[in-house]
Amino acid sequence: MDPILEIRHLDVDYGLGDRAVRAVRDVSLTLHRGEVLGLAGESGSGKSTLAYGLTRLLAPPGVISGGQVIYHPASGEPYDVLSLSDNGLRQFRWAETAIVFQGAMNSLNPVHKISTQLTDVLKAHEPSMSEHTRQARAREMLKLVGISPDRMDAYPHQLSGGMRQRVMIGMALILQPQVVIMDEPTTALDVVMQRQILGQLIELRERLGFSVIFITHDLSLLVEFSNRIAIMYGGRIVEEAPAATLYRDALHPYSKGLLSSFPALRGPRRELAGIPGSPPDLAAMPAGCSFHPRCPRAFEPCSVTIPVLGRPDATGRTVACWLHPSADAADSPGVSVASGEH
Amino acid sequence: MTSTQVVLEAIGLTKHFPVRRSLRQIFRKEHSAVHAVDDVHLTLRRGRVVALVGESGSGKSTVARLLAQLYPRTGGDIRLHGASTSVNGGRGFRAYAARVQMIFQDPFASLNPVHTIRYHLTRALKIHHNTGDDLEAALHELLGRVSLTPPERYLDKFPHELSGGQRQRVAIARALGARPEALLADEPVSMLDVSIRLGVLNLLRDLKERLNLAILYITHDIASARYFADETLVMYAGRMVEGGDSETVTQTPAHPYTRLLIDSAPDPDRLTGNAGELATDRGNGEPPSLIEPPTGCRFHPRCPMAMARCTTDLPVRIEIGDRPGHWAACWLYDQEKAASEGVA
């Protein structure tokens, strides 16, 4: 499969200098054409920061302090999103990569009609389009996400939460982007609505062929809806594998813990324990592997040296854990520095 | 004292919230109300967990608040140890609160940010005269119960210095400070990080066993109800639609709404994304307006199996018969009656 978005050693900090909080550290991730890549982690693991970082939407004091985000357009040469000019960035956003925000239900402007907000995007990106075509396109988009086009002139408060969420998804897709980033798109919705919207999204993806980065804390949802899953903890990716592989045979103790944090609806009822302790404070990260204070299987290198994301076997999955050292050491980037930062 | 002693009972509990009326409605003497909770029956027993499952807007939190006597009820009865109770603030409320305590969803909002943990817990102990001889020892015991050890490390901290899970533990300790018999937990873990949710649920289960508490667990996550509760009740649009022991309700759901809810829950074992035989939703995934709820069964506009009768007659509780105590409010299970009517 050919890649569409390659994140290479991305670092994102909040603040500058020594007191900076390093929210995303050395993240490398590749999104392939037409796939759904799930990004799971708890609050504070840096998953949203990663999404904002790669679209360059970070508000100060967020700073991208290193790395590259290579975008491969449908036609033409790949380019680095992080070095785009303001104008280039304006072209890139929405038309190439769209994002559906967390709490998207509240991202609509309450004083404008749905139609105004939908056509506004077209006005900004395709100024040559006639008003009539714009309206038609907006109508078509609403129909696509399952809202009757006669709701075009409704205000956001006249729509239910689920409908507003659909409008947001429609708005993200209106310019037919190649990549759609979804940041907890259904967290505020009920399960029935969540399933309907996600089912529809998968259907749309098959029809329109875009790729999705799906960010959520609900791992059981990701296992069902995504092709590959990357798990973040403390600003780093700790494991990445195809969804089914991860679910059946997670290697990293954190992934295992996360998977056994969800009581199952079917199968035998078992005693579950969750993960002891609480997620780390990004401002005071433990030395070595950031998970080692909570890890049931921590041993002596864990508290000293940061594990490298490596391939434990030939299947192409990666994990950053000393229990599963990389099979081919040559592939690993040189970040195995002993952590003496504090 | 047996372990199945009934602590708190709701009988036909009903709550309607008045809606602001227009001038015309006032002149026409029209009264409209949000039918938040209608005819809810539930029983909390010592040492048992009852889960109340439903979507947002189904009235499950209103039930908890009614049981905590935070709202006056419109109809029905709340019985504490068999005696009808109705308190309206003041001393009566305090006496009631000593026996029935509530834990709220958001531990970030339910603790006062300008006071220390010591203050929060001391108040709970003093108000309910549970300090004993040694306040310090009582505080240590409380924190020890919720596994915040060593207690000295937490007592003089402010809420913002604790993580979400620790804060919720403090909120639980505060509720235990009243030495209640019943705990009403309104989505106690939904605001917490996934990896620590189970820790808090396991703590509640442990407390239930050690202190012989009756717990009402309100949640939108039916899988956690299966994990944590002995008995599960499902609410839809202000009414209870199904009930029974948790295993039966989640494994062999009877009501079409419960089936929809279970099939909609994320299930990693399904993996493909769209399996064939899932329960379907004829509607758009939204609950109805509770100001003018649908006549008959409130689920009929969305129900894939709705019959003519469902639109007119309110379904009654019908025993399913697969397990004792498993019932659903659905005409699908009314075979005897349908048969007898057919004969007549």
Side-chain angles (χ1 to χ4, degrees):
Chain A
M1 270 198 290
D2 43 334
I4 186 155
L5 199 66
E6 280 179 87
I7 304 165
R8 291 184 190 159
H9 308 300
L10 190 71
D11 286 305
V12 181
D13 295 351
Y14 285 107
L16 292 169
D18 295 341
R19 298 192 57 198
V21 172
R22 306 188 63 193
V24 170
R25 295 195 274 182
D26 191 39
V27 166
S28 298
L29 204 57
T30 306
L31 177 68
H32 299 288
R33 215 169 277 279
E35 82 172 343
V36 180
L37 174 65
L39 199 55
E42 295 176 85
S43 49
S45 63
K47 55 194 193 308
S48 294
T49 306
L50 176 64
Y52 294 159
L54 69 92
T55 43
R56 286 179 62 187
L57 284 168
L58 273 179
V63 194
I64 298 167
S65 53
Q68 282 179 309
V69 178
I70 310 291
Y71 176 71
H72 298 261
S75 56
E77 283 298 296
Y79 52 84
D80 184 4
V81 177
L82 300 184
S83 55
L84 281 177
S85 64
D86 280 359
N87 221 352
L89 196 59
R90 199 170 297 134
Q91 297 296 325
F92 170 75
R93 282 182 184 153
W94 222 315
E96 304 290 345
T97 298
I99 180 162
V100 178
F101 290 105
Q102 195 166 4
M105 289 158 66
N106 304 321
S107 319
L108 289 167
N109 190 333
V111 299
H112 286 296
K113 289 174 185 167
I114 300 298
S115 57
T116 321
Q117 302 190 46
L118 279 166
T119 50
D120 207 30
V121 183
L122 295 169
K123 243 181 232 171
H125 279 267
E126 288 172 35
S128 59
M129 206 183 238
S130 74
E131 178 63 28
H132 183 75
T133 335
R134 276 203 287 266
Q135 288 286 342
R137 182 104 187 84
R139 243 167 237 286
E140 189 191 324
M141 219 55 234
L142 279 187
K143 219 187 281 169
L144 207 59
V145 292
I147 296 178
S148 134
D150 56 19
R151 303 308 298 270
M152 278 280 281
D153 285 330
Y155 287 91
H157 74 267
Q158 295 170 312
L159 304 177
S160 71
M163 285 165 91
R164 269 180 272 177
Q165 190 70 52
R166 283 167 209 250
V167 171
M168 288 305 297
I169 292 175
M171 210 184 266
L173 297 178
I174 200 162
L175 291 173
Q176 302 191 325
Q178 297 292 308
V179 178
V180 179
I181 298 167
M182 308 232 141
D183 187 7
E184 307 248 6
T186 53
T187 312
L189 302 176
D190 286 315
V191 279
V192 180
M193 183 67 84
Q194 167 173 299
R195 174 157 299 273
Q196 279 195 354
I197 288 186
L198 290 182
Q200 206 164 42
L201 188 75
I202 297 299
E203 215 180 282
L204 284 175
R205 184 188 63 103
E206 274 158 18
R207 192 133 45 108
L208 305 176
F210 52 85
S211 317
V212 181
I213 298 183
F214 195 106
I215 300 171
T216 180
H217 64 268
D218 191 345
L219 191 55
S220 51
L221 197 69
L222 278 187
V223 170
E224 201 181 322
F225 279 99
S226 53
N227 305 112
R228 265 189 318 138
I229 296 177
I231 305 226
M232 281 191 86
Y233 186 79
R236 287 175 188 277
I237 289 187
V238 296
E239 183 162 8
E240 190 206 317
T245 316
L246 189 91
Y247 175 59
R248 293 206 192 93
D249 176 34
L251 292 180
H252 199 283
Y254 177 66
S255 320
K256 273 187 198 154
L258 211 53
L259 279 166
S260 62
S261 294
F262 294 96
L265 251 178
R266 288 171 188 83
R269 208 159 140 172
R270 358 170 230 152
E271 190 62 29
L272 299 172
I275 307 175
S278 43
D281 177 4
L282 285 172
M285 288 294 272
C289 172
S290 53
F291 186 61
H292 86 263
R294 299 173 76 188
C295 185
R297 297 185 61 190
F299 61 120
E300 118 267 354
C302 299
S303 56
V304 188
T305 322
I306 299 175
V308 183
L309 203 60
R311 296 198 166 87
D313 50 35
T315 54
R317 63 188 299 184
T318 52
V319 61
C321 180
W322 290 121
L323 289 169
H324 308 280
S326 177
D328 46 352
D331 188 59
S332 53
V335 281
S336 53
V337 216
S339 171
E341 290 165 26
H342 296 289
Chain B
M1 197 184 279
T2 58
S3 67
T4 51
Q5 183 196 3
V6 173
V7 180
L8 198 61
E9 245 181 316
I11 294 158
L13 200 59
T14 300
K15 176 74 190 173
H16 295 173
F17 291 102
V19 180
R20 205 168 76 177
R21 294 188 288 170
S22 67
L23 206 57
R24 180 183 289 166
Q25 284 172 318
I26 291 172
F27 281 127
R28 288 181 178 174
K29 301 223 165 82
E30 284 176 2
H31 291 272
S32 52
V34 175
H35 298 241
V37 170
D38 265 322
D39 194 28
V40 162
H41 294 260
L42 64 87
T43 310
L44 298 182
R45 296 168 204 275
R46 290 221 111 169
R48 305 269 292 170
V49 180
V50 175
L52 197 56
V53 182
E55 292 174 278
S56 49
S58 63
K60 55 193 195 307
S61 289
T62 307
V63 169
R65 279 161 200 233
L66 286 171
L67 286 175
Q69 307 263 18
L70 296 177
Y71 295 145
R73 55 189 179 257
T74 311
D77 201 4
I78 295 172
R79 294 196 187 147
L80 186 65
H81 289 294
S84 172
T85 39
S86 184
V87 296
N88 208 351
R91 218 170 261 150
F93 178 71
R94 197 159 275 190
Y96 186 82
R99 311 179 84 167
V100 180
Q101 278 280 319
M102 190 153 170
I103 302 166
F104 294 92
Q105 178 174 11
D106 185 357
F108 298 81
S110 64
L111 296 175
N112 190 333
V114 302
H115 288 303
T116 58
I117 306 310
R118 179 189 296 280
Y119 176 87
H120 283 105
L121 298 182
T122 307
R123 257 179 77 82
L125 288 170
K126 281 201 171 149
I127 285 173
H128 297 289
H129 312 291
N130 287 336
T131 46
D133 300 328
D134 187 355
L135 174 68
E136 203 62 21
L139 288 174
H140 282 210
E141 194 208 326
L142 267 187
L143 283 176
R145 275 199 177 146
V146 294
S147 326
L148 287 177
T149 46
E152 309 81 54
R153 232 171 79 192
Y154 297 97
L155 268 177
D156 291 307
K157 290 214 165 161
F158 286 93
H160 72 262
E161 295 175 283
L162 303 180
S163 72
Q166 290 168 339
R167 264 181 264 196
Q168 195 60 294
R169 281 167 196 263
V170 170
I172 294 170
R174 179 175 58 181
L176 294 178
R179 297 203 188 141
E181 294 162 56
L183 269 186
L184 310 171
D186 187 1
E187 305 245 15
V189 296
S190 63
M191 295 282 282
L192 305 180
D193 272 320
V194 267
S195 69
I196 50 184
R197 283 183 190 172
L198 277 173
V200 172
L201 278 189
N202 287 343
L203 170 76
L204 279 173
R205 172 185 287 172
D206 189 43
L207 288 172
K208 170 202 86 172
E209 270 152 25
R210 273 195 290 160
L211 307 175
N212 204 14
L213 288 170
I215 296 181
L216 178 69
Y217 173 59
I218 290 175
T219 183
H220 61 266
D221 178 9
I222 197 162
S224 75
R226 180 194 179 209
Y227 176 73
F228 178 54
D230 303 298
E231 189 187 338
T232 295
L233 302 166
V234 182
M235 268 188 98
Y236 178 75
R239 285 191 172 273
M240 296 204 326
V241 295
E242 185 167 354
D245 73 86
S246 300
E247 204 57 24
T248 314
V249 170
T250 51
Q251 299 312 299
T252 52
H255 197 282
Y257 174 67
T258 318
R259 277 188 227 158
L260 177 67
L261 202 62
I262 286 176
D263 285 347
S264 300
D267 182 1
D269 289 317
R270 210 147 45 207
L271 279 176
T272 46
N274 43 359
E277 312 158 48
L278 293 184
T280 47
D281 186 351
R282 287 202 300 138
N284 50 3
E286 283 167 37
S289 153
L290 292 181
I291 296 179
E292 282 170 29
T295 53
C297 174
R298 288 189 181 172
F299 188 60
H300 85 257
R302 291 171 67 186
C303 184
M305 284 172 261
M307 305 173 284
R309 185 182 191 185
C310 302
T311 59
T312 49
D313 299 354
L314 186 69
V316 292
R317 280 178 183 226
I318 299 166
E319 290 286 330
I320 304 300
D322 54 349
R323 291 283 174 81
H326 185 202
W327 59 269
C330 180
W331 289 126
L332 282 178
Y333 299 93
D334 188 27
Q335 283 147 348
E336 291 153 39
K337 219 173 177 186
S340 66
E341 273 171 12
V343 170

